[in-house]
Amino acid sequence: MSTTATMGEMANSAVEFYPKRGGGGAEANHAGDFGVTLEELRSLMELRGAEALQKIQDSYGDVEDLCQRLKSSSSNGCGNVSGGAEDEGEAEAGWIEGAAILLSVICVVLVTAFNDWSKEKQFRGLQSRIELEQRFAVVRNGNVIQIPVAEMVVGDMAQVKYGDLLPADGVLIQGNDLQIDESSLTGESDHVRKSADKDPMLLSGTHVMEGSGRMLVTAVGVNSQSGIIFTLLGAGEGEEEKKEKKGKQPEAAVESNQNKAKKQDGAVAMEMQPLKSAEGGEVEEREKKKSNVPKKEKSVLQGKLTKLAVQIGKAGLVMSAITVIILVLYFVIETFVVEGRIWLTECTPIYVQYFVKFFIIGVTVLVVAVPEGLPLAVTISLAYSVKKMMKDNNLVRHLDACETMGNATAICSDKTGTLTTNRMTVVQAYLNDQHFREIPDPSQINPITLEMIVNAISINCAYTSKIMPPDVEGGLPKQVGNKTECGLLGFLLELKRDYVPVREQIPEEKLYKVYTFNSVRKSMSTVVQMPDGSFRLYSKGASEILLKKCSSILGANGETRSFKPRDRDEMVKKVIEPMACEGLRTICIGYRDLPCDPEPEWDNEAEIVTNLTCIAVVGIEDPVRPEVPEAIRKCQRAGITVRMVTGDNINTARAIAAKCGIIQPGDDFLCMEGKDFNRRIRNEKGEIEQERIDKIWPKLRVLARSSPTDKHTLVKGIIDSTVLEQRQVVAVTGDGTNDGPALKKADVGFAMGIAGTDVAKEASDIILTDDNFSSIVKAVMWGRNVYDSISKFLQFQLTVNVVAVIVAFTGACITQDSPLKAVQMLWVNLIMDTFASLALATEPPTEALLLRKPYGRNNPLISLTMMKNILGHGVYQLVIIFTLLFAGEKIFNIDNGRYAPLHSPPSEHYTIIFNTFVLMQLFNEINARKIHGERNVFDGIFGNPIFCSIVLGTFGVQIVIVQFGGKPFSCAPLNVEQWLWCLFVGVGELLWGQVIATVPTSHLKCLKEAGHGPGVDEMTEDELADDEEEIDHAERELRRGQILWFRGLNRIQTQMEVVSTFKRSGSFQGAVRRRSSVLSQLHDVTNISTPTHVVLSTANASAAPGSEFPAFPTCVRHDTHTLRNTHKT
């Protein structure tokens, strides 16, 4: 029946071909309303001629009587009546479809909103946890305890030390060489020296850069200096925020907290910036501007997804527009041209209904085509990963860091605490001219020397460092404070001596002067006043530094003898180097007696800490964590290079690197010290050159005796390098305040949760709550898992998209109706967007993720294997659906559902198509769990209860929709046999998946990848935008245009020259000259120094006399390569 039927025909056809189920009820209804039943009318209409007239007269009297019974009139006709079929169908249930669509939309919106809300809630939880985890040492009831900063009160006695971010205002009671960075409040980058007698005021929000001390807390929270500033900021910004940020996500609040803290750190980071510039003022300005910008604008994955979503969206829009145009044109031509009808005013509502129906089909195509589930999948995947990473000791502070970690190609790790246990232990000692390979018995040591060692270690270690009883019975004693100092205190306990009585005799207040440890001194010295009024200085530090300051040494009998440079060299060769080669850190302990009159000039440190007497040299070991070598092996297998950056000496570093597996015997690698590294990367003017760094970093595995600036330089050099095809993605670990710049510069910064300072944590993206390197490997696994989860979801969704769009488009164009109705499409959308993203984005990671190399920044999201799967499954589903659409009524022996009138009831034919389509998607969701061509798609499926419950839940809801959905879902109930056939075709997806996996991807040359990273030109724009030398957008466009123009011109010239050279081999030099002039023009445009002279000399060198002709292709190849590089740059 044609779609252009008149109103009457449509009413009749609906009654005739689509009788209502349960007709008895309808008949009773009619019998009640009219004086004649439907059966009577039917039997009457079967009679003909005189027989019919006789029947009318017998039953009803005459025709007028029949009219009255049917509530009609021969002159006036019917009263207020709505058309028969519509009365039954549309008038009673017309609202249902609209309500169902509304319900589906509400469902999708609520699920999305709930996910967003839970993500926000999670972030607030993380934020409050970070705040709760920031603890501070205070003295209460005579005990030093760690409390959350929020619990600090006025009157607390707080202990401040190197690396702390002060949480409250206070007055310094006692300090040792305390220096504060107040740049976050004053903008002055110079450190301010604090002392109880000169400048005791300590302010919140400032950083302790050196020394230690105790302060009386005088103001907390909004009453502290930083609190007052934030209050003012809040009052000032409140009005603007109301105007500007209406409708913005609460995420901004979370970000702003982080940014506020980052702004505070901006000056610290800036002061430590290693790269100096001639126009320092401008750089500072730019740095300040930069510090206000959130850390990372858009991650690699987000960039790829945005690009892909835009492409798919455009394609969907075009398809939907074409669908609507074809439907409208077909209807208009069929109705008004072929059948020659005239547009009647009374028929306008019918025509409008048709046009609305066509528009709805078009919108349906668009809705199915656009993958609006992508952002949801990313959010769910990242939020799920962040939650699970907490259990793996990774506290994620910036969401995109966990995805970036999956692409990491290099990890620059600290040694102490990360690769090692951070439990320092003295294992060797050099005392009284004797080298003890094990801890000596006290009886083997001269009593004078022993007494000196006990005093030197007890007094000249921070009083906050102590050895506590173990938490668990039978466990190791707990080391509190500086680990090296705890190792030395442990050494005293092994010598059957205790440090507590010495400290009780000389409490911290009685210490006359303390030179605290810092990265420049690499030593610590403490001065005490002796009973006779004279002073004694105890010093400890790195042996190679402190031995140079020693002029004497305690001999075999405890007597002092001179210690000359020759003795020192011998000691280095015989004691220190063997210890260092075994991976021991060597520490020299010395002392010096100073007169009380005249009192020494304490501020002149160089004069005070010299002419020392060496008491002992001890070898301290920080054992490698047992799980680290395996973790590093996994990294190397996964294509990640691990580099060790440490402050330790080269021998110790090399020994630990060998134990960890960072360096292997026979490998081509570099181990160097910071001093040597700096010398090799700088030119004659002392400026860092990227080319020089590029010669070093690929082979560099250990950087010893490095400063935080060296670490920053190395990280920046690796990130900025263009030696390799892919840009390196660098992760860095750090714990100290000085690591802040390197942590910020890195793609992913890991701060230590236990040993890390507040500044390091603030600059980081992820906090390692257990300070363990193997947790970084877990982060890599989760990062790769996020990437794979998104790819799995894409593979599944794009299969549904391709099939649904083609079915809706083709069905609409051939049968003037989409086989899948609007509400059904919304259900499919709900399955493939919300539920699928929840199911596929929550797959747990497996060790197999570490068996492949990183994807790389420019690799496509949709690989060739995925494209093969998408198209392969798409073909299977399309064949099945079109077979059912055009031959389904014959296969199942049911009524044909095609060419149904406007308001016809649901048909079994189209219900089978819908049911088969959904079941194929459900089984394809299981196929989508594997994206690298694996055969076993059920591998680990029971390890993901969310996936199983979603698949089973969706199947349950599908049964309910089909059997009881009725008119709202355009479904007619199916019998058991039809259900089994639908299931059989769905399970066929799994078998077809095995067939697809058998086809080698390499044989399918026609396949194209999709979802690449930003292209060369876009990358150039991004990098230019980030660059300090910001140039005008229009100028950039012009520049890019010129490059492309020269490129085209160049190719034409090359081709012409090749032809002419083949004609006459003598003109080769001229060709080279012309090409070099083009290159120089290109050089002028791009302001890049292109090594044209190198290219020409190569060409000329290869063009030896008598062999000009063969040399030409080499020249072309070299030049073209140079040109490409220029363009990339």
Side-chain angles (χ1 to χ4, degrees):
M1 181 154 291
S2 166
T3 49
T4 53
T6 61
M7 216 186 314
E9 284 172 337
M10 275 168 50
N12 290 339
S13 68
V15 173
E16 247 177 80
F17 295 111
Y18 298 91
K20 280 265 187 186
R21 282 178 163 71
E27 278 185 40
N29 179 31
H30 285 281
D33 289 352
F34 302 99
V36 59
T37 65
L38 197 58
E39 275 304 319
E40 288 172 4
L41 284 173
R42 276 183 178 173
S43 59
L44 173 65
M45 295 311 292
E46 284 168 8
L47 305 174
R48 300 285 178 272
E51 196 183 353
L53 271 172
Q54 187 63 43
K55 175 74 177 170
I56 290 172
Q57 284 165 3
D58 291 350
S59 301
Y60 311 110
D62 59 2
V63 179
E64 279 298 328
D65 250 9
L66 183 59
C67 283
Q68 280 175 2
R69 287 195 186 201
L70 291 174
K71 298 183 179 178
S72 186
S73 155
S74 55
S75 55
N76 295 331
C78 228
N80 291 333
V81 176
S82 51
E86 268 195 63
D87 192 8
E88 288 184 31
E90 191 66 12
E92 289 174 14
W95 61 274
I96 296 177
E97 186 167 8
I101 289 177
L102 192 63
L103 196 66
S104 299
V105 170
I106 288 170
C107 255
V108 173
V109 168
L110 284 179
V111 171
T112 312
F114 175 76
N115 275 309
D116 281 352
W117 171 80
S118 62
K119 183 190 81 171
E120 287 302 327
K121 187 179 169 202
Q122 201 169 9
F123 277 135
R124 287 200 201 97
L126 285 183
Q127 196 62 24
S128 60
R129 176 167 169 178
I130 289 168
E131 282 162 15
L132 280 175
E133 280 196 347
Q134 191 189 349
R135 291 171 168 270
F136 215 79
V138 295
V139 180
R140 287 186 181 173
N141 300 324
N143 297 320
V144 179
I145 55 167
Q146 296 275 340
I147 60 165
V149 288
E151 291 177 18
M152 282 183 83
V153 293
V154 172
D156 261 333
M157 190 61 67
Q159 293 202 334
V160 298
K161 62 182 187 307
Y162 163 73
D164 283 345
L165 174 67
L166 296 184
D169 292 354
V171 177
L172 185 67
I173 303 296
Q174 176 263 325
N176 300 319
D177 200 16
L178 195 64
Q179 291 193 33
I180 306 286
D181 175 13
E182 295 186 347
S183 58
S184 54
L185 290 180
T186 63
E188 292 293 329
S189 56
D190 289 340
H191 297 173
V192 181
R193 193 177 287 276
K194 298 285 182 180
S195 60
D197 52 350
K198 288 181 183 166
D199 180 5
M201 308 311 286
L202 301 178
L203 306 175
S204 59
T206 58
H207 294 127
V208 181
M209 302 310 284
E210 258 186 47
S212 60
R214 283 187 300 161
M215 77 166 183
L216 174 68
V217 175
T218 55
V220 294
V222 289
N223 299 313
S224 66
Q225 286 303 302
S226 55
I228 292 166
I229 291 169
F230 282 143
T231 311
L232 291 172
L233 280 174
E237 285 172 6
E239 296 303 313
E240 289 172 37
E241 278 177 12
K242 279 177 193 168
K243 294 175 196 165
E244 286 176 22
K245 299 193 178 176
K246 261 188 185 171
K248 277 207 179 176
Q249 295 293 333
E251 196 167 302
V254 180
E255 276 297 313
S256 69
N257 286 347
Q258 295 172 358
N259 288 346
K260 275 176 191 170
K262 288 207 168 188
K263 280 179 204 169
Q264 291 182 5
D265 297 338
V268 186
M270 199 167 64
E271 193 217 333
M272 296 172 198
Q273 211 66 18
L275 305 180
K276 298 284 182 282
S277 167
E279 57 277 55
E282 288 175 39
V283 173
E284 267 185 41
E285 281 303 309
R286 282 195 287 268
E287 285 295 337
K288 279 178 187 166
K289 281 180 195 167
K290 272 189 176 178
S291 67
N292 296 338
V293 180
K295 183 173 180 187
K296 296 186 175 83
E297 297 301 325
K298 190 181 272 188
S299 72
V300 181
L301 183 64
Q302 285 170 327
K304 290 179 182 179
L305 284 174
T306 307
K307 197 172 176 186
L308 188 67
V310 168
Q311 288 168 347
I312 295 170
K314 283 177 183 171
L317 196 61
V318 170
M319 286 292 276
S320 67
I322 292 172
T323 309
V324 174
I325 292 165
I326 289 176
L327 285 172
V328 171
L329 285 176
Y330 191 97
F331 175 75
V332 169
I333 292 166
E334 178 79 12
T335 310
F336 302 115
V337 178
V338 178
E339 295 184 10
R341 294 181 189 279
I342 303 160
W343 186 298
L344 299 170
T345 315
E346 56 268 28
C347 293
T348 302
I350 295 287
Y351 297 146
V352 168
Q353 277 187 330
Y354 270 110
F355 290 141
V356 168
K357 179 183 167 185
F358 298 152
F359 179 71
I360 287 174
I361 292 169
V363 170
T364 307
V365 172
L366 179 62
V367 164
V368 173
V370 174
E372 68 273 30
L374 265 183
L376 186 65
V378 177
T379 302
I380 291 173
S381 186
L382 288 173
Y384 172 76
S385 301
V386 165
K387 205 170 193 173
K388 292 289 183 186
M389 283 168 81
M390 292 282 289
K391 291 179 182 168
D392 285 337
N393 304 308
N394 284 284
L395 177 68
V396 180
R397 297 182 71 247
H398 297 122
L399 194 60
D400 62 347
C402 98
E403 168 251 312
T404 310
M405 201 55 215
N407 280 321
T409 55
I411 298 174
C412 294
S413 173
D414 274 353
K415 176 179 74 68
T416 309
T418 313
L419 300 173
T420 56
T421 56
N422 205 10
R423 272 196 71 83
M424 289 296 192
T425 319
V426 174
V427 288
Q428 293 186 27
Y430 181 83
L431 293 155
N432 299 137
D433 292 340
Q434 205 175 345
H435 186 174
F436 295 96
R437 297 249 162 214
E438 291 174 351
I439 301 295
D441 191 84
S443 58
Q444 294 175 271
I445 304 170
N446 181 285
I448 300 169
T449 309
L450 186 59
E451 193 59 37
M452 201 63 91
I453 284 178
V454 172
N455 285 332
I457 291 176
S458 304
I459 295 167
N460 190 33
C461 283
Y463 279 37
T464 49
S465 301
K466 354 180 147 109
I467 307 283
M468 309 283 280
D471 288 337
V472 189
E473 204 175 324
L476 291 166
K478 204 163 71 172
Q479 296 188 342
V480 180
N482 182 288
K483 300 298 175 187
T484 305
E485 294 182 338
C486 288
L488 291 170
L489 294 172
F491 176 51
L492 294 187
L493 299 177
E494 297 242 6
L495 291 173
K496 313 286 189 294
R497 292 288 187 274
D498 195 358
Y499 61 89
V500 178
V502 180
R503 287 185 172 182
E504 283 172 354
Q505 192 183 339
I506 305 175
E508 198 171 0
E509 303 83 64
K510 286 194 179 175
L511 300 180
Y512 200 84
K513 174 73 181 169
V514 178
Y515 300 98
T516 53
F517 179 88
N518 65 25
S519 55
V520 178
R521 283 192 190 111
K522 293 204 187 307
S523 67
M524 174 182 176
S525 305
T526 304
V527 179
V528 289
Q529 194 159 20
M530 304 301 280
D532 63 359
S534 66
F535 299 101
R536 177 167 284 174
L537 170 118
Y538 293 110
S539 198
K540 69 171 192 302
S543 57
E544 67 269 32
I545 288 169
L546 220 58
L547 280 177
K548 288 177 185 169
K549 298 178 179 176
C550 289
S551 58
S552 52
I553 188 167
L554 292 182
N557 302 318
E559 83 288 349
T560 306
R561 63 175 176 80
S562 69
F563 186 66
K564 297 189 170 65
R566 191 178 64 249
D567 301 327
R568 185 171 64 236
D569 294 343
E570 193 177 338
M571 189 171 178
V572 166
K573 199 182 291 176
K574 289 189 175 170
V575 178
I576 290 168
E577 279 183 6
M579 280 187 186
C581 288
E582 290 175 43
L584 305 184
R585 180 188 290 182
T586 53
I587 288 178
C588 176
I589 301 165
Y591 78 97
R592 180 187 180 188
D593 287 324
L594 295 155
C596 59
D597 190 29
E599 190 171 329
E601 181 73 39
W602 298 118
D603 285 340
N604 189 351
E605 191 186 334
E607 286 297 315
I608 302 290
V609 187
T610 188
N611 291 327
L612 302 176
T613 301
C614 174
I615 305 169
V617 173
V618 292
I620 291 191
E621 181 179 53
D622 183 5
V624 171
R625 287 178 182 266
E627 65 275 21
V628 162
E630 179 56 27
I632 286 176
R633 254 197 308 282
K634 284 179 185 171
C635 281
Q636 289 165 344
R637 242 196 340 260
I640 301 168
T641 306
V642 181
R643 293 180 176 83
M644 183 202 285
V645 184
T646 177
D648 248 349
N649 72 55
I650 187 96
N651 293 327
T652 308
R654 193 187 278 116
I656 298 287
K659 283 179 188 171
C660 293
I662 291 174
I663 54 178
Q664 309 281 352
D667 278 1
D668 183 17
F669 59 80
L670 279 175
C671 295
M672 61 169 63
E673 290 193 335
K675 214 185 329 178
D676 191 26
F677 173 71
N678 262 304
R679 187 174 48 76
R680 288 171 68 170
I681 62 169
R682 293 176 191 274
N683 61 17
E684 301 74 36
K685 296 177 186 170
E687 294 163 348
I688 294 169
E689 286 186 357
Q690 184 62 44
E691 296 78 33
R692 289 169 180 254
I693 297 178
D694 288 345
K695 286 175 187 168
I696 294 171
W697 75 259
K699 289 183 181 178
L700 183 69
R701 292 294 174 273
V702 176
L703 186 60
R705 283 281 175 244
S706 65
S707 68
T709 308
D710 295 338
K711 192 190 239 183
H712 180 278
T713 307
L714 177 64
V715 172
K716 185 177 186 304
I718 297 175
I719 289 176
D720 293 348
S721 175
T722 52
V723 173
L724 303 180
E725 192 183 341
Q726 295 278 4
R727 154 153 134 54
Q728 294 284 294
V729 177
V730 184
V732 167
T733 68
D735 53 8
T737 302
N738 303 358
D739 290 327
L743 289 169
K744 275 189 174 175
K745 179 66 191 170
D747 294 289
V748 182
F750 286 91
M752 301 299 139
I754 301 166
T757 61
D758 296 331
V759 181
K761 289 178 187 174
E762 204 60 64
S764 68
D765 300 293
I766 298 175
I767 296 172
L768 294 179
T769 53
D770 63 345
D771 289 14
N772 194 337
F773 185 84
S774 59
S775 299
I776 298 176
V777 181
K778 298 258 178 66
V780 173
M781 263 168 66
W782 277 108
R784 292 188 175 191
N785 193 56
V786 166
Y787 203 98
D788 275 13
S789 296
I790 304 305
S791 295
K792 288 171 190 175
F793 173 70
L794 268 175
Q795 178 175 306
F796 171 70
Q797 185 173 34
L798 292 182
T799 310
V800 185
N801 279 15
V802 167
V803 174
V805 168
I806 292 175
V807 167
F809 176 74
T810 315
C813 295
I814 296 172
T815 67
Q816 281 71 63
D817 190 10
S818 171
L820 300 171
K821 301 291 181 281
V823 180
Q824 294 174 349
M825 283 292 208
L826 280 161
W827 167 237
V828 169
N829 220 26
L830 192 69
I831 295 173
M832 71 182 192
D833 275 4
T834 309
F835 294 154
S837 60
L838 203 57
L840 291 169
T842 53
E843 286 276 309
T846 59
E847 289 285 333
L849 289 167
L850 296 173
L851 298 176
R852 57 171 176 76
K853 300 285 180 271
Y855 277 125
R857 295 176 73 89
N858 307 331
N859 279 33
L861 260 179
I862 300 169
S863 64
L864 290 177
T865 307
M866 286 168 64
M867 192 60 86
K868 177 184 76 175
N869 292 343
I870 290 167
L871 297 178
H873 289 293
V875 167
Y876 173 83
Q877 293 181 16
L878 286 171
V879 167
I880 297 288
I881 286 171
F882 284 136
T883 305
L884 289 174
L885 181 60
F886 296 111
E889 71 277 15
K890 298 187 188 105
I891 297 167
F892 291 103
N893 195 21
I894 49 175
D895 288 338
N896 182 1
R898 296 192 303 281
Y899 306 114
L902 201 59
H903 297 297
S904 54
S907 67
E908 285 181 334
H909 184 190
Y910 273 23
T911 304
I912 288 172
I913 292 174
F914 165 60
N915 199 29
T916 307
F917 180 71
V918 170
L919 291 179
M920 286 194 295
Q921 303 320 322
L922 273 184
F923 285 101
N924 193 32
E925 198 166 333
I926 298 171
N927 278 328
R929 293 182 67 247
K930 303 295 173 191
I931 53 171
H932 299 297
E934 299 95 328
R935 284 197 174 278
N936 184 4
V937 292
F938 292 100
D939 181 31
I941 193 166
F942 297 113
N944 186 2
I946 298 176
F947 183 89
C948 299
S949 52
I950 282 177
V951 170
L952 294 172
T954 308
F955 184 57
V957 175
Q958 179 65 15
I959 294 172
V960 172
I961 285 174
V962 170
Q963 296 303 108
F964 309 106
K967 192 162 179 65
F969 280 94
S970 306
C971 287
L974 302 179
N975 60 35
V976 175
E977 187 192 350
Q978 290 164 340
W979 264 102
L980 286 173
W981 276 109
C982 293
L983 262 174
F984 172 72
V985 171
V987 173
E989 267 286 1
L990 297 174
L991 303 172
W992 183 249
Q994 295 301 311
V995 174
I996 293 171
T998 311
V999 179
T1001 312
S1002 54
H1003 289 191
L1004 303 170
K1005 302 289 184 196
C1006 55
L1007 290 183
K1008 282 272 196 301
E1009 299 164 322
H1012 287 265
V1016 175
D1017 292 339
E1018 292 166 63
M1019 290 280 283
T1020 309
E1021 283 197 23
D1022 287 347
E1023 279 156 20
L1024 281 169
D1026 287 347
D1027 208 33
E1028 277 84 13
E1029 279 70 273
E1030 189 71 83
I1031 57 169
D1032 187 284
H1033 183 74
E1035 188 185 334
R1036 198 184 315 140
E1037 286 297 320
L1038 174 69
R1039 186 174 288 190
R1040 191 162 56 158
Q1042 284 174 319
I1043 290 172
L1044 291 171
W1045 163 251
F1046 275 110
R1047 224 166 152 202
L1049 188 68
N1050 221 20
R1051 282 181 184 159
I1052 294 165
Q1053 283 188 336
T1054 306
Q1055 286 158 3
M1056 287 168 66
E1057 284 159 14
V1058 169
V1059 172
S1060 61
T1061 307
F1062 272 95
K1063 284 180 184 171
R1064 56 186 203 293
S1065 57
S1067 64
F1068 170 65
Q1069 294 294 336
V1072 172
R1073 269 195 296 278
R1074 279 196 297 282
R1075 287 183 52 70
S1076 68
S1077 70
V1078 173
L1079 276 171
S1080 64
Q1081 282 175 294
L1082 182 61
H1083 164 76
D1084 293 339
V1085 173
T1086 53
N1087 293 326
I1088 292 163
S1089 53
T1090 311
T1092 318
H1093 60 282
V1094 178
V1095 176
L1096 295 179
S1097 62
T1098 311
N1100 291 338
S1102 59
S1107 62
E1108 284 179 318
F1109 182 73
F1112 183 74
T1114 316
C1115 169
V1116 174
R1117 190 163 62 249
H1118 273 284
D1119 271 353
T1120 312
H1121 177 68
T1122 308
L1123 189 61
R1124 277 203 200 107
N1125 282 351
T1126 308
H1127 179 57
K1128 274 182 189 169
T1129 317

